[in-house]
Amino acid sequence: MHKAPWRPRAAGPPTQTSAHLVEFSSFTLASPNTPRATPQHRLTTMAPPNPCVPVAARASVPTVLLVFLLLLVQVSLASGTSDIVLARNITWKSIDFKTILEWEPKPVNYVYSVEISTRWGDWKKKCFQIKKTECDLTDEMKNLKEMYIARILSEKPDKSDGDPEESLHANTPSFTPYLDTNLGQPRVQSFEQNDTKLKVKVQDSITSFRHNGTFQTLRQIFHQDLTYTLYYWRASSTGKKSANTDTNEFSVEVDKGESYCFNVQAVIPSRRAKQKSPESAIHCTSQDRVVFKELLFIVGAVVFVIILIIVLSVTLYKCSKARAKRDNKENSPLNTA
């Protein structure tokens, strides 16, 4: 049987089989009896609907954006506060009601502000955006028996919209001026030693607390709560004696002719802590000068008596001699005649 030679088939419209092959290449499984797919149908069959994939895509985009924004805000806040340091080593320095708050460290690229309040929470800003590490709060403590607290704010010099509204702050210990201020060193106003009496007068310290515009003394503030102690001893020994008074004057018995040294100390016995002031400077009497003066007086008196005796003796001698001569002259002519 003679076979006809093979010839390429002329191009023409795609047959149903070729259409099936094309659609198969487009991930569409079709049977030979499947009708030819339209373009819209082909597009649909190329990406079959899967409810899981599109929903996940739509939900992940805003979630990622939200997380990104939150991280961005946290980084921004961290960069804005990373150089700001809280105050530490906070101490109250107060002597005779001059009260200064001190702390550390020195600020770099930020500033401090200080607020003070009573126990009732009436906060008042005293030192505003300072570079120093101290703040004088003396004038804010108008009630010396009230308890005060303070807080030190660490903040940027110029706040921006992204900065937190409340600044970082460190709280101080509570402080009651009447109980917590240290007593300053007292001074001796005058002293004298007469025979067996040593008298000392103490001058009350003038404080930094003002009442009606006048600085008050320790006695005006503490009244009878303020006492003084006198420590005294012979200049030639180290054994000390002491005396107390709730006034400003001492009068103690001492040995006659002995020089004495002494100093004084302010005391608040009603306090539990910080009762005593530093001791005053040491003063000494000098009985050697008194003895010298007494000796000089005695020697002068003796010399005066001796001179007086000599003068009187010479005068009497001259008088007696002159009388003798006169008597001789009167008696000589009568005897001759």
Side-chain angles (χ1 to χ4, degrees):
M1 184 178 195
H2 180 71
K3 295 183 179 180
W6 179 86
R7 293 177 183 159
R9 191 173 182 175
T15 62
Q16 185 176 5
T17 304
S18 63
H20 291 171
L21 292 176
V22 171
E23 292 190 13
F24 181 80
S25 66
S26 300
F27 302 99
T28 301
L29 297 177
S31 64
N33 299 324
T34 303
R36 183 181 180 85
T38 62
Q40 183 178 1
H41 184 208
R42 186 181 300 117
L43 180 62
T44 303
T45 56
M46 288 176 61
N50 187 345
C52 296
V53 175
V55 171
R58 286 196 299 268
S60 63
V61 171
T63 303
V64 171
L65 289 176
L66 181 60
V67 172
F68 178 75
L69 289 176
L70 289 176
L71 290 175
L72 196 61
V73 170
Q74 290 179 356
V75 171
S76 176
L77 292 176
S79 63
T81 59
S82 59
D83 295 335
I84 297 179
V85 180
L86 280 177
R88 61 177 183 270
N89 297 333
I90 303 171
T91 54
W92 293 99
K93 297 293 182 66
S94 181
I95 299 177
D96 288 342
F97 301 101
K98 176 72 172 178
T99 304
I100 298 175
L101 186 64
E102 297 182 354
W103 64 89
E104 294 178 349
K106 292 286 185 182
V108 179
N109 298 327
Y110 65 97
V111 293
Y112 291 114
S113 294
V114 178
E115 296 178 343
I116 186 171
S117 170
T118 62
R119 71 183 76 185
W120 312 114
D122 48 343
W123 291 100
K124 180 180 180 181
K125 187 167 288 188
K126 175 62 176 178
C127 299
F128 181 70
Q129 293 195 345
I130 59 174
K131 284 284 189 178
K132 298 185 297 181
T133 55
E134 65 177 30
C135 182
D136 190 343
L137 298 173
T138 302
D139 294 337
E140 303 305 321
M141 299 182 176
K142 303 185 184 301
N143 185 350
L144 298 181
K145 294 186 178 182
E146 181 63 79
M147 184 184 72
Y148 293 88
I149 53 177
R151 57 191 181 192
I152 304 169
L153 285 67
S154 304
E155 54 192 3
K156 289 183 177 181
D158 299 314
K159 285 189 176 182
S160 60
D161 295 337
D163 294 332
E165 294 183 2
E166 185 174 351
S167 302
L168 299 174
H169 67 272
N171 295 322
T172 69
S174 61
F175 183 85
T176 303
Y178 193 88
L179 300 176
D180 296 327
T181 192
N182 291 293
L183 301 177
Q185 186 182 44
R187 292 189 298 172
V188 173
Q189 184 174 342
S190 62
F191 65 92
E192 63 177 350
Q193 180 180 351
N194 292 327
D195 294 333
T196 60
K197 287 289 184 181
L198 172 62
K199 296 181 179 180
V200 179
K201 188 173 183 179
V202 184
Q203 181 177 353
D204 288 326
S205 299
I206 298 177
T207 71
S208 297
F209 177 72
R210 284 182 289 191
H211 180 68
N212 294 332
T214 304
F215 290 105
Q216 303 292 288
T217 65
L218 282 180
R219 179 67 64 189
Q220 291 173 315
I221 295 173
F222 288 105
H223 303 290
Q224 296 305 310
D225 278 351
L226 174 65
T227 64
Y228 288 102
T229 300
L230 172 71
Y231 302 99
Y232 61 102
W233 60 95
R234 282 190 290 183
S236 58
S237 69
T238 57
K240 288 186 178 182
K241 295 181 179 181
S242 64
N244 299 311
T245 183
D246 56 2
T247 67
N248 293 63
E249 297 181 355
F250 294 93
S251 181
V252 295
E253 293 287 336
V254 293
D255 296 333
K256 185 177 180 180
E258 290 284 346
S259 298
Y260 277 80
C261 295
F262 63 91
N263 59 9
V264 295
Q265 185 178 47
V267 183
I268 308 293
S270 61
R271 283 183 170 183
R272 294 182 179 179
K274 301 180 181 179
Q275 289 184 331
K276 299 180 179 181
S277 73
E279 296 179 3
S280 71
I282 296 176
H283 299 268
C284 294
T285 64
S286 181
Q287 289 299 294
D288 294 339
R289 295 180 181 179
V290 175
V291 172
F292 176 76
K293 289 180 180 180
E294 292 178 352
L295 182 62
L296 183 62
F297 175 77
I298 294 172
V299 171
V302 171
V303 170
F304 176 76
V305 171
I306 293 174
I307 292 174
L308 182 60
I309 292 173
I310 293 174
V311 171
L312 290 175
S313 299
V314 171
T315 302
L316 290 173
Y317 173 76
K318 289 183 177 181
C319 289
S320 61
K321 189 174 181 180
R323 185 181 296 172
K325 287 183 178 180
R326 187 172 59 251
D327 292 341
N328 290 333
K329 288 182 180 180
E330 291 177 355
N331 296 330
S332 294
L334 293 175
N335 294 333
T336 302

